[in-house]
Every structure is written in C-alpha cells, then in structure tokens.
Amino acid sequence: MSIDSGESKNIEYKVTLPDRNIKYTKTAVAFANGEGGRIVFGIEDQTLRVVGVSDDQVFTIMDAISNAIADSCEPLIIPDISMRDIDGKTVIVAEILPGAQRPYFIKSMGREQGTFVRVAGTTRQADAATIKELLFEGSNRSFDQTICRELTATEDDIAKLCDAMTAVAKSNAKHGAEAVKPVTVQQLRSWNVLVERDGELRPTNAYAILAGINGLIRSVIQCGVFKGDTKAVFVDRREFEGSPWELIEQAYQYVLRNIHMGARFAGVYRQDVYEIPPDAIRELIVNAVVHRSYIDHSSIQIAIYDNRLEITSPGRLPMGQTLERMKEGYSKIRNEALAVAFAYMGLIEHWGSGIPRIIEEVREAGLREPEFLGGDTDLRINIYRGQIITMPDSAGKVPNNDVAVPSTFENMPDSIQSAPDMTENVPDTVSGLSKTQSTVYKFICGRNRVSTEDIAGLLGVQPRRARQVLSDLVRKGLIEREGAARSTRYVYPSR
C-alpha cells in the first residue's frame, strides 16, 4: 500500500486510535455515502510518518474499530479490518465499501446532523440537498420522475408541451422531420414525465423542468465573462431561464459571442473557425442541463475567462460514477425522464458518448485536453482557449467576439455562387431575428432554394446547427421546407 500521495477522497490516516470514536466513525459514514475508502491507523496524517501499532494491542484495537463503526452508524456499516506491514511496522486498515442503503449517518446525531460526505479529502457534514440526493440514491428512485405536488397541468398545458418537444425533435432530426413521430400523452407517461395517481394524471418534476416552470424547480444558467483568470473582475453577466432547449441555445450563443474566431483556408475557400470547437461547447451545455442535480438549488454556471471556458454543473456525481469512468464513456443517469426526453428530441445521441466525443474534438482542435474537477459537490469542466490567427475579412476587419456570420457570400461552392441573385427587394434585417438568422434568411431570399449543406457551408458550422437555424425560420413562417430526407430544400415562400 502506497502512502506517498497523502490523504485523499478515498483514504484517511490516524496516528493512533482516537479517544473519541466519532473522529473516525463519521469518516466511515462519509465513505459509505460516497465511493468507499480506507481509514489507516498507525500513520501520521501531516507528515505521513509510519508510527505503527503495538503488536500486543493490534487485535484489541481492530475489535474496537469494528465495534465502534457497527454500533455508531445507521444503517449498519460492517468494515473490513485488516493488518498491513509498512516499513516493518504494523498498521491497521479499515476498508469501507460504498453503501446502497443511503444516507448513512451517526445514530446518536440523527440523520439531519449526522450525515457526512467526503469533499476534497476531508469529511464534511452534508447539507439538506445532499441528504435528499442520498435518499433518492438509497431508494433507487429518480428525483425528476417524482410527482411535483405543487404543480397541476391541464390538457392544454400538456398538449403545448407535446407540441414544443415535437418541434424540437423535428428541428434536430437527422433523417428529415417527416420521420419524427409526435410526442403523445402516452409517451409522457411511459417516460414518467406524467404519472397517474387516483385516476388523474399528475406532472412530475421532469414535467416542470421541460415546461420551463422555474418557480418550483430552479432551472437557470448563469453566464459571465471575466477579465483575467479569476472572477475578481467581471465584464458581462447574463442569466437565462426557460425550457431546457431554450437554455441550451441561449447559453450556447452567449459563449460563441464571447470567444474568439479566426479563419482557415482550404484552397481559395475561407472558413471561419472558433478557438473552441462549437460542437464541444454545445455538448457540454447539454450534459450540464440533463445531468445536473435539480435537488440542488444552485444554477449551472458558465464562466468565460481569458484563458478558459469553465462550465459548472450543480450536484455531486451519481452513485457509482467517477471522473475517470465518465471520461471513458461510462454513463450513470441521474435524471432518467429527462434523459429519455432529450434523446427523443435529438439533444443527446448515445448515452455516455458525449464526454469522450468532447475530449476528441478538443484534441483534434489542437487544444489542451479538457480538465474535469470536483464531483463531490459539483462538477466543473474547463476547456482551455487556444491561440488562433484571425484573418481580415473582405472589409479589412478582423472578426472577433461574434457569431460565425460571414460578411459576404464569396467563396461559397460553385453551385451556390451560380444561383441568380434576387436580393434587390429583400430587407437587410428582419425584426426579431438574430444576426445568424438574418444572414441565412437574406441568403435564402437571394437564391430561393438551398439545402442544409449550403447553409452549413455559409456559416461554417455542422449540419445539425444549420438545420436548427433553418427550422427556426420555418417556425417563424419566413421560409418553407420542401421534400424529405436528403431531398429536403428550404425555399423563400411565394406570396
């Protein structure tokens, strides 16, 4: 057993058996409420000096440790007690396995005061939100599938949610919107977004989240831009509320507006590129929204520093999940109803694939590998910003802190360039549209008939993002969709 790294999330040292067993039984509770761990007696925690345990006292101390943990903790914790030889001295190791009957607590202190968790190598008293999270883990239930008692939903309310989710699914469909089946009340029931009680359909917490009802469950993303590498001086701050897909899009666009953009050239063609891959940014935001703890009343926080993008998601990692397993693609779903709903809407693809895909995209962009921190009270992911060379556009200006909207339509594929220009009577801007939407709208008006690939090339984004912009314009009635699957085209409506 190596002791070089000192105390950590999963190990604690005691130089002797403490006179009060609370000094180590609360650590046993914390280990049982987390990933498990070992308490080693006979090693000084500050210096890591091996003191050892007197040979004539070893078995007496082992019995005392075992009895104290078993008698003091509830539900019952049975440690695995063993002896180890380090540097010719005997130490005692009490190994605590992760417990399934959470929360574990000190019996004499009660559950509210006696529940402890492990945070960054220290044992801390759990707050109310953490205790509630442990209760759900121990009962093998999902908070988002629990009935929201303060909320009622009329038939009209439910129909509006079904329509909204169907629209999002169609906008994200890879094989054409026509292949998407509308969400039904029966589906919401099968996902536990709605639950039947006493012959009545009752909304769950997932319903409140999907419907964007923020007063009952806090579903907010706070975004900020900071000067330097800390939060000492902020430049801009925004807070977004609404349905999950609205939160994702608003936060995503906020990040794109506040990171740098440069250019790459493939032959004679210029492609605008962000210093952080947009798909990785979007995936991180989606993961934060679907996997965060909604028991915790904190907000998702997105901070843009001079050197990095930092996304913090409230809540400790679910039982059985670790940072290492997460990076390898192991999926542990906290919010089961939301996960199924997100999969239907095309916001997530294969469970567990998101994080490995983000890591790969960041590597391919030549950036430092993403940094994963925390997991005890929240999860924080850092993507370090790259240094890119920005090329001047046709007007001689350097694009900076803006969305990927080219100033002209030069360098487009020949099939697009050869289309007749019909923009003479098209307004430069349309009220209520973002800069990206306005550019796409004017482009379609000038060519009359375009594909998703045309718009992806125009914006320098992935087809999925282009499809979202086009679907937004369709919903606003500004353009129309024709055809299906690969034959889908977007046209300026004849009026």
Side-chain angles (χ1 to χ4, degrees):
M1 182 180 69
S2 173
I3 62 172
D4 295 339
S5 57
E7 290 188 329
S8 67
K9 185 176 182 179
N10 306 103
I11 192 163
E12 182 161 306
Y13 298 120
K14 301 291 183 185
V15 64
T16 60
L17 183 67
D19 53 351
R20 297 177 60 230
N21 59 33
I22 188 65
K23 293 182 179 180
Y24 61 90
T25 54
K26 66 180 184 181
T27 300
V29 162
F31 285 151
N33 282 328
E35 300 173 19
R38 293 175 294 178
I39 309 172
V40 184
F41 298 86
I43 296 178
E44 199 171 59
D45 62 335
Q46 297 295 326
T47 64
L48 301 183
R49 182 171 63 92
V50 180
V51 176
V53 176
S54 174
D55 290 342
D56 60 351
Q57 294 290 314
V58 167
F59 294 105
T60 301
I61 293 175
M62 290 174 66
D63 288 341
I65 295 168
S66 181
N67 292 335
I69 292 174
D71 293 343
S72 302
C73 305
E74 191 171 314
L76 178 66
I77 297 175
I78 301 178
D80 181 12
I81 311 290
S82 62
M83 295 181 292
R84 302 282 179 89
D85 182 276
I86 300 179
D87 298 336
K89 297 179 180 178
T90 301
V91 300
I92 297 173
V93 179
E95 184 165 3
I96 313 296
L97 297 177
Q101 296 177 282
R102 304 178 178 196
Y104 292 84
F105 55 93
I106 302 298
K107 195 183 305 183
S108 62
M109 299 175 69
R111 188 171 67 192
E112 301 306 314
Q113 300 297 320
T115 301
F116 294 88
V117 291
R118 198 75 172 165
V119 178
T122 62
T123 297
R124 298 184 187 177
Q125 191 175 48
D127 59 18
T130 301
I131 294 173
K132 194 171 182 180
E133 191 83 53
L134 290 167
L135 279 167
F136 276 97
E137 290 179 354
S139 59
N140 199 28
R141 293 182 297 145
S142 177
F143 172 75
D144 69 328
Q145 294 180 329
T146 303
I147 290 175
C148 186
R149 302 191 182 280
E150 302 88 349
L151 181 62
T152 57
T154 66
E155 289 184 6
D156 286 345
D157 294 332
I158 295 171
K160 287 178 182 177
L161 178 59
C162 289
D163 290 344
M165 293 176 64
T166 301
V168 174
K170 288 184 175 182
S171 70
N172 291 330
K174 287 187 173 181
H175 304 293
E178 294 75 9
V180 175
K181 294 181 179 179
V183 177
T184 64
V185 174
Q186 185 57 41
Q187 274 183 302
L188 295 184
R189 290 179 61 184
S190 69
W191 298 343
N192 283 331
V193 174
L194 294 171
V195 175
E196 186 171 349
R197 288 289 184 273
D198 301 324
E200 180 184 2
L201 282 179
R202 300 291 304 279
T204 62
N205 292 321
Y207 181 99
I209 295 165
L210 291 167
I213 304 172
N214 192 47
L216 300 175
I217 298 174
R218 186 165 177 79
S219 182
V220 172
I221 296 183
Q222 294 176 331
C223 297
V225 179
F226 299 89
K227 184 180 177 69
D229 301 339
T230 69
K231 290 183 178 177
V233 179
F234 77 88
V235 177
D236 183 67
R237 187 177 295 170
R238 293 287 303 276
E239 185 171 290
F240 300 112
E241 298 181 6
S243 62
W245 48 92
E246 291 171 334
L247 287 177
I248 292 165
E249 186 62 23
Q250 289 170 329
Y252 173 68
Q253 292 297 339
Y254 183 91
V255 174
L256 293 187
R257 288 195 299 271
N258 288 285
I259 61 175
H260 296 121
M261 186 169 66
R264 292 177 184 163
F265 288 85
V268 298
Y269 297 113
R270 175 185 187 275
Q271 182 184 12
D272 293 321
V273 292
Y274 288 98
E275 58 180 323
I276 300 174
D279 281 356
I281 296 170
R282 187 178 184 82
E283 191 87 46
L284 280 175
I285 297 171
V286 170
N287 277 356
V289 172
V290 73
H291 294 305
R292 64 155 290 176
S293 168
Y294 285 93
I295 294 174
D296 192 316
H297 295 299
S298 302
S299 302
I300 295 170
Q301 293 186 337
I302 299 178
I304 302 171
Y305 301 95
D306 287 351
N307 69 332
R308 71 189 186 280
L309 168 67
E310 178 184 274
I311 298 180
T312 303
S313 180
R316 50 192 249 132
L317 291 177
M319 182 170 64
Q321 182 65 294
T322 66
L323 295 177
E324 291 72 24
R325 299 180 78 183
M326 182 175 62
K327 288 189 285 186
E328 292 169 359
Y330 174 79
S331 179
K332 184 70 175 179
I333 299 171
R334 186 201 307 272
N335 302 305
E336 296 179 7
L338 289 184
V340 177
F342 272 48
Y344 163 79
M345 291 186 287
L347 294 171
I348 56 177
E349 296 181 13
H350 303 292
W351 292 338
S353 66
I355 296 299
R357 188 163 55 246
I358 290 167
I359 294 173
E360 185 61 28
E361 287 174 354
V362 171
R363 282 176 179 165
E364 288 180 354
L367 302 177
R368 171 179 165 184
E369 185 169 315
E371 187 176 44
F372 296 79
L373 303 170
D376 301 320
T377 56
D378 56 28
L379 173 64
R380 182 168 300 166
I381 301 177
N382 290 325
I383 296 185
Y384 285 86
R385 302 172 67 174
Q387 299 298 317
I388 60 175
I389 300 174
T390 54
M391 303 296 295
D393 62 17
S394 60
K397 297 179 180 179
V398 175
N400 184 25
N401 292 341
D402 204 352
V403 290
V405 180
S407 58
T408 70
F409 297 134
E410 298 173 1
N411 300 331
M412 295 304 298
D414 292 339
S415 60
I416 299 179
Q417 288 190 19
S418 61
D421 189 352
M422 300 180 291
T423 60
E424 287 185 10
N425 299 319
V426 179
D428 289 335
T429 60
V430 177
S431 176
L433 296 186
S434 68
K435 187 175 180 181
T436 303
Q437 291 170 339
S438 293
T439 299
V440 173
Y441 177 58
K442 185 174 176 65
F443 182 79
I444 293 173
C445 293
R447 273 106 183 130
N448 192 41
R449 187 178 181 83
V450 302
S451 67
T452 301
E453 289 72 22
D454 295 337
I455 301 304
L458 169 71
L459 300 179
V461 299
Q462 295 295 320
R464 183 175 68 176
R465 171 62 186 141
R467 198 178 296 114
Q468 290 172 338
V469 176
L470 290 164
S471 296
D472 288 340
L473 294 175
V474 171
R475 285 197 295 271
K476 292 176 182 290
L478 296 173
I479 62 173
E480 293 178 353
R481 183 190 286 110
E482 291 183 352
R486 293 180 179 272
S487 300
T488 300
R489 294 295 182 270
Y490 296 86
V491 302
Y492 182 69
S494 56
R495 291 186 172 90

